[in-house]
Amino acid sequence: MGFTSLHWGVYRPRVVNGRLTGMDPAHWDGDPSPIGASIPGAIDSTTRIRRPAVRRSFLERFDDHPALRNLHLRGNEAFVEVSWDVALDLVATELARVKSEHGNQAIFGGSYGWGSAGRFHHAQSQLHRFLNSYGGYAYSVDSYSLGAGRVLMPHIVGNMDWLLGAHTSWQNLAEHCELFVAFGGLPVKNAQCSPGGASDHLVSSGIRQMSDAGVRFVNVSPLRDDLLGPEHTEWLAVRPGTDTALMMALCWVLVDEGLHNEAFLREYTVGHERFIEYVRGAVDGVAKTPEWAALLTDIPAHRITELAREMAAKRTMINVAYSLQRAQFGEQPFWMTVTLAAMLGQIGLPGGGFGLGYGCMNNTGSGRKAFSGPRFSQGVNPVKAFIPVARVTDMLLHPGESFDYNGQRHVYPDIRLVYWAGGNIFHHHQDINRLLTAWQRPETIVVHEQFWTAQAKHADIVLPATTALERDDIGSAASDRFMIAMHQAIEPVGEARDDYAIFADLSRRLGCESVFTEGRDAGQWLRLLYEESRPRARSFAIELPEFEQFWHDGLIEVDYPPEETVLLKAFREDPLANPLQTPSGKIEIFSETIAGFGYADCPGHPVWLDKPAQSLPLHLLSNQPKTRLHSQYDHGSYSQASKIQGREPMTINRQDAMARGICDEDVVRVYNSRGAFLAGVRVSDDIRPGVVQIATGAWFDPLVKGQANSLEKHGNPNVVTEDIGASSLSQGCSAQTVSVEVEKWHGELPAITAFAPPEMLA
Ligand SMILES: Nc1nc2c(c(=O)[nH]1)N[C@H]1C(S)=C(S)[C@@H](COP(=O)(O)OP(=O)(O)OC[C@H]3O[C@@H](n4cnc5c(=O)[nH]c(N)nc54)[C@H](O)[C@@H]3O)O[C@H]1N2
Ligand SMILES: Nc1nc2c(c(=O)[nH]1)N[C@H]1C(S)=C(S)[C@@H](COP(=O)(O)OP(=O)(O)OC[C@H]3O[C@@H](n4cnc5c(=O)[nH]c(N)nc54)[C@H](O)[C@@H]3O)O[C@H]1N2
Ligand SMILES: [Mo]
């Protein structure tokens, strides 16, 4: 039996009599993720989708006008199991109808989501290629992860993917860094994962090496646990959403005490004069002093002053977690991180400068080559209509209306058919109650899923997909150590089929088979994609063996030992020969381009923007779960073991709990004007007062199915988050900016039904 690769690591599946009984972590992995243990038991549980299924009214009224198919019953109606032929005929008929009546731009195929790790059976890529072969689709850009960051960074430093692949390595940090200031911490819980695979977990050991070398860490975060392990760690329990003010005050001290690096600013950046004027208060009459920031951040002014001096005196790495930009005005903390590092003048030096998300993903800082292995071409999309990914509800509610994005105005397409494979919108999107209303608009919703998630339950046609363990694939990710031959471990559960096989059958029905499949089956594709990656590997000085050899050996070590890398080293050494891909070729502390857009919510240099007044007393942080990847395997044993009375745990500060008569292990109702959910309580001193924290990923479980504003009984925070863009620049996800109130739940505890399949008619 060979290996399999998941977004959170490589495992050897253990199979007895055709059943998966265990997942043994790869022997070389010094810090494997326990999430793998969730798969046996969950993979063939009752939550698995076993046959194609169609929503009852959709099937019964298929020949009526689409508006008569009881669209409002999505999420609250029985399904009818049908054969694959019937299901595929329905999907093909609907695609053809919508295409001929409304054109391809009426098909939304954005299909955001992580899916599974293999390079070929990547559901979203399969869907995109299939829809492109059929004339295209309205698409989405950017990500929920880095919505604001992806749009901002090219204006001020460079492309986000390039930056992530070029981070200063852990090894270099251990040797040269003296002070590591981490906004949002360095949460090793997150470093379990990396998109496409995390074959060798290295963040814990990276932190340990630095700690052993005597590096001092500062954890700027509302949660102490965001940085655990190192001996010398200071916790600055910042008020969420105020890091920008803190960084500005650090700059104020640097300028006030003449500690900023004027020579660096002159040679490598543009616009620092205007920014310094702003920080001094020349623009708005407000000097961004430590006293000013202390009121906003709740960090004592003297501590801010001392920290600025220490940062200037030591080799300092400033790290910012993605979470800080997943907020209103989320561009600002990223822009300020770069600006503060530029003021210190250590960018491009060993152990210093800035990091964007050390600890957010395993592979950042690995020092390994950015070679990402085989690639499956998605073809060309002739449709021009798109949305920034987190504007999906707006798109469904407001077809034909315009929106701002990165300096331009665009128009929302009029969507009739939504096709999703490999994502869970009832996990990832904000203000689910608003989404539920929007979700009644499309005439047809098709979903490929493995499990009866809310995404599947709210669809019209549900097609059961295989898991990675039920098919052959190739596992490979940028900056990762191994390429993995993912050997099929078990037979598909029920009648599940590969996304590729499903699309191949649809393309045959729709007359685009030769474009989609090019006459190949999955095995032939794997061989081809592998062979095509060999010349690309060579350009990274990686020699890949013949496919047969690779498949037989089960893995290739593509890059070991990693190199010591320093972010922006070449730029520092020779900024004329190695200019940045910004308009000035330098780091843009002031961006003429962004200033030219005229956005009040994202002007030409970093600014402190006060977020709208908090209407409720507690700031809710919904961060990434330790016990799963997003919503994946919430029904698995590892995630289930973490629940309190069946609900997702929520951490609350002792004072806040006492003031509300709440005890450990209680169930509480968490609410605001948008919605309410139940959660299990963990009382703690390791979260700052005024903040509550719940991980994302508890499967959406409304008390009254299909009804907007019903109580959510399982702990899905997205029923209370706000669905507005980070700014007019990026329109990124802003889930972290939300306030709530919490009260003890006295009522009877409703049973969890999230993992039960919907009512099924034969
Ligand atoms: N409040 C709040 N919301 C957030 C965030 C937050 O911090 N706070 N974080 C955001 C972020 S950063 C992200 S990336 C998103 C993540 O959001 P998603 O990526 O949508 O979440 P997943 O749970 O990974 O959903 C993947 C789905 O694909 C299915 N799947 C897996 N493999 C396959 C396959 O091979 N074929 C098919 N057809 N299906 C498959 C899984 O069963 C699962 O349901 O959430 C975002 N939402
Ligand atoms: N186990 C696991 N790992 C994952 C994922 C997963 O689902 N499970 N998801 C992956 C994905 S898709 C992504 S995008 C990354 C996300 O990486 P991040 O977005 O960085 O992850 P989060 O856990 O949301 O946030 C990290 C910490 O930031 C802190 N924080 C939140 N708001 C603020 C603030 O305003 N100021 C400060 N100083 N701190 C704040 C929170 O306490 C939180 O624990 O994680 C990846 N890693
Ligand atoms: Mo993400």
Side-chain angles (χ1 to χ4, degrees):
M1 183 70 60
F3 294 107
T4 197
S5 176
L6 306 162
H7 292 298
W8 53 90
V10 172
Y11 299 81
R12 260 185 206 280
R14 240 184 293 139
V15 176
V16 178
N17 296 331
R19 263 203 96 194
L20 183 72
T21 57
M23 292 284 277
D24 297 328
H27 56 271
W28 61 79
D29 193 345
D31 184 23
S33 163
I35 299 174
S38 273
I39 299 184
I43 198 166
D44 53 2
S45 67
T46 53
T47 308
R48 189 70 194 266
I49 305 173
R50 286 180 160 73
R51 295 193 69 203
V54 184
R55 186 171 63 84
R56 176 193 205 154
S57 301
F58 188 89
L59 187 65
E60 287 174 354
R61 305 190 182 183
F62 190 72
D63 296 328
D64 293 343
H65 188 276
L68 299 176
R69 295 169 183 166
N70 286 332
L71 304 180
H72 63 284
L73 290 182
R74 284 195 184 115
N76 187 26
E77 211 184 7
F79 279 81
V80 184
E81 285 191 334
V82 298
S83 69
W84 270 106
D85 270 340
V86 169
L88 292 173
D89 285 345
L90 291 176
V91 176
T93 306
E94 278 302 274
L95 280 167
R97 179 186 68 78
V98 170
K99 181 180 167 122
S100 76
E101 288 176 8
H102 308 283
N104 278 78
Q105 70 278 359
I107 301 170
F108 184 62
S111 188
Y112 185 80
W114 270 54
S116 293
R119 303 280 13 158
F120 175 67
H121 292 290
H122 182 247
Q124 194 190 79
S125 307
Q126 290 286 350
L127 172 62
H128 291 170
R129 183 183 167 91
F130 163 69
L131 290 175
N132 283 339
S133 70
Y134 190 54
Y137 61 97
Y139 62 102
S140 60
V141 296
D142 308 328
S143 66
Y144 281 78
S145 317
L146 279 164
R150 279 193 181 277
V151 180
L152 173 74
M153 292 313 289
H155 291 295
I156 67 164
V157 187
N159 171 282
M160 196 71 215
D161 289 322
W162 167 68
L163 286 167
L164 287 175
H167 265 50
T168 301
S169 60
W170 290 107
Q171 203 185 333
N172 185 273
L173 286 170
E175 278 171 44
H176 301 281
C177 177
E178 295 172 300
L179 176 64
F180 193 104
V181 183
F183 293 87
L186 257 179
V188 288
K189 70 173 173 66
N190 289 10
Q192 293 177 93
C193 304
S194 242
S199 61
D200 193 9
H201 290 90
L202 41 76
V203 173
S204 298
S205 67
I207 296 174
R208 205 176 313 119
Q209 276 176 46
M210 284 170 75
S211 174
D212 291 348
V215 178
R216 203 173 88 75
F217 291 81
V218 181
N219 174 28
V220 185
S221 173
L223 300 187
R224 186 196 294 274
D225 289 1
D226 279 339
L227 214 174
L228 290 176
E231 196 178 330
H232 308 286
T233 307
E234 177 186 3
W235 179 33
L236 294 181
V238 72
R239 189 174 280 140
T242 66
D243 305 79
T244 300
L246 174 57
M247 292 191 235
M248 282 183 173
L250 292 167
C251 287
W252 189 93
V253 176
L254 295 178
V255 172
D256 188 55
E257 303 192 0
L259 298 173
H260 62 300
N261 188 333
E262 187 78 34
F264 180 90
L265 291 168
R266 262 186 231 294
E267 192 172 356
Y268 299 99
T269 75
V270 291
H272 73 280
E273 301 90 345
R274 295 178 74 161
F275 174 72
I276 288 177
E277 273 180 37
Y278 170 80
V279 167
R280 285 189 154 145
V283 182
D284 55 2
V286 181
K288 313 299 179 290
T289 61
E291 290 73 23
W292 166 81
L295 286 175
L296 294 164
T297 61
D298 206 18
I299 297 182
H302 69 89
R303 193 61 211 104
I304 298 176
T305 305
E306 285 160 16
L307 182 60
R309 290 177 187 151
E310 194 190 350
M311 290 171 87
K314 288 184 170 163
R315 186 54 60 86
T316 301
M317 173 56 77
I318 305 166
N319 183 47
V320 63
Y322 300 177
S323 57
L324 273 78
Q325 55 82 66
R326 204 173 300 115
Q328 277 169 46
F329 318 128
E331 292 81 3
Q332 304 308 319
F334 263 41
W335 207 343
M336 263 318 295
T337 299
V338 173
T339 301
L340 176 58
M343 301 278 278
L344 292 174
Q346 301 182 14
I347 294 172
L349 293 182
F354 65 86
L356 308 171
Y358 284 106
C360 292
M361 303 282 184
N362 177 64
N363 297 356
T364 301
S366 70
R368 296 199 173 102
K369 291 163 187 144
F371 172 64
S372 61
R375 283 185 201 152
F376 183 51
S377 167
Q378 303 186 1
V380 179
N381 186 355
V383 172
K384 297 291 163 250
F386 77 95
I387 56 164
V389 67
R391 298 279 52 81
V392 57
T393 299
D394 284 348
M395 171 187 74
L396 295 176
L397 290 178
H398 303 292
E401 288 184 24
S402 61
F403 62 94
D404 285 308
Y405 174 71
N406 204 10
Q408 299 203 301
R409 278 187 88 69
H410 303 273
V411 174
Y412 288 124
D414 185 357
I415 298 302
R416 305 299 172 122
L417 185 149
V418 170
Y419 206 131
W420 223 289
N424 184 356
I425 197 170
F426 291 88
H427 160 74
H428 65 237
H429 197 57
Q430 287 56 65
D431 200 349
I432 290 177
N433 288 311
R434 185 166 177 261
L435 170 68
L436 278 169
T437 310
W439 208 243
Q440 298 181 1
R441 294 287 182 98
E443 294 165 356
T444 306
I445 298 178
V446 185
V447 167
H448 296 193
E449 250 300 349
Q450 302 163 335
F451 299 103
W452 279 112
T453 61
Q455 178 91 4
K457 288 177 183 171
H458 288 78
D460 298 319
I461 306 174
V462 179
L463 304 179
T466 50
T467 70
L469 289 142
E470 297 152 37
R471 58 203 184 202
D472 289 339
D473 209 339
I474 298 174
S476 171
S479 311
D480 202 11
R481 181 170 166 188
F482 293 97
M483 195 190 278
I484 303 294
M486 299 167 60
H487 293 176
Q488 180 179 345
I490 56 170
E491 288 301 310
V493 173
E495 295 178 18
R497 302 186 65 195
D498 300 347
D499 296 288
Y500 178 70
I502 299 172
F503 290 130
D505 275 2
L506 283 173
S507 69
R508 193 167 312 127
R509 283 170 167 78
L510 293 166
C512 53
E513 184 184 13
S514 62
V515 184
F516 177 68
T517 67
E518 294 179 22
R520 291 185 196 90
D521 64 20
Q524 290 166 323
W525 272 110
L526 288 186
R527 224 164 270 261
L528 178 79
L529 299 186
Y530 180 86
E531 289 303 333
E532 283 177 349
S533 78
R534 291 177 74 195
R536 252 187 313 114
R538 236 164 266 139
S539 71
F540 287 85
I542 297 167
E543 198 56 48
L544 298 182
E546 302 266 316
F547 179 81
E548 305 303 335
Q549 183 76 45
F550 163 59
W551 200 253
H552 172 265
D553 293 351
L555 82 181
I556 305 167
E557 189 156 24
V558 281
D559 195 12
Y560 193 82
E563 275 172 45
E564 242 183 74
T565 46
V566 174
L567 181 64
L568 300 179
K569 180 168 180 264
F571 167 64
R572 182 172 190 123
E573 284 170 356
D574 192 343
L576 294 177
N578 308 304
L580 300 179
Q581 299 294 308
T582 57
S584 61
K586 300 184 180 186
I587 295 170
E588 303 219 343
I589 295 177
F590 185 93
S591 162
E592 292 288 351
T593 310
I594 294 178
F597 298 159
Y599 297 141
D601 53 7
C602 190
H605 62 72
V607 289
W608 168 250
L609 295 166
D610 237 336
K611 65 171 179 275
Q614 292 275 312
S615 50
L616 292 169
L618 298 169
H619 190 119
L620 174 75
L621 292 180
S622 47
N623 59 356
Q624 314 296 314
K626 179 184 173 193
T627 58
R628 50 187 182 261
L629 173 68
H630 314 131
S631 67
Q632 297 193 38
Y633 293 98
D634 186 30
H635 58 311
S637 54
Y638 185 45
S639 178
Q640 284 302 308
S642 72
K643 307 270 175 174
I644 295 172
Q645 301 196 48
R647 329 283 132 165
E648 188 64 22
M650 185 189 77
T651 308
I652 184 168
N653 180 275
R654 191 171 307 280
Q655 295 168 27
D656 294 321
M658 271 166 59
R660 291 165 178 78
I662 294 167
C663 303
D664 218 31
E665 310 261 309
D666 276 352
V667 169
V668 287
R669 177 173 167 270
V670 183
Y671 63 94
N672 62 18
S673 60
R674 284 176 291 278
F677 63 85
L678 299 184
V681 168
R682 259 190 216 143
V683 176
S684 172
D685 297 315
D686 293 338
I687 184 167
R688 58 159 287 130
V691 177
V692 287
Q693 171 271 330
I694 188 168
T696 54
W699 286 15
F700 177 62
D701 198 8
L703 191 62
V704 185
K705 292 192 182 67
Q707 181 191 301
N709 296 316
S710 162
L711 174 72
E712 200 283 332
K713 55 194 172 157
H714 188 203
N716 184 324
N718 276 325
V719 297
V720 299
T721 51
E722 192 173 1
D723 184 13
I724 59 171
S727 78
S728 314
L729 183 81
S730 68
Q731 300 289 1
C733 165
S734 64
Q736 300 308 342
T737 308
V738 57
S739 67
V740 294
E741 182 51 285
V742 174
E743 65 182 17
K744 191 172 163 137
W745 175 254
H746 291 289
E748 206 171 304
L749 261 190
I752 302 293
T753 47
F755 307 114
E759 186 192 343
M760 200 63 68
L761 308 173

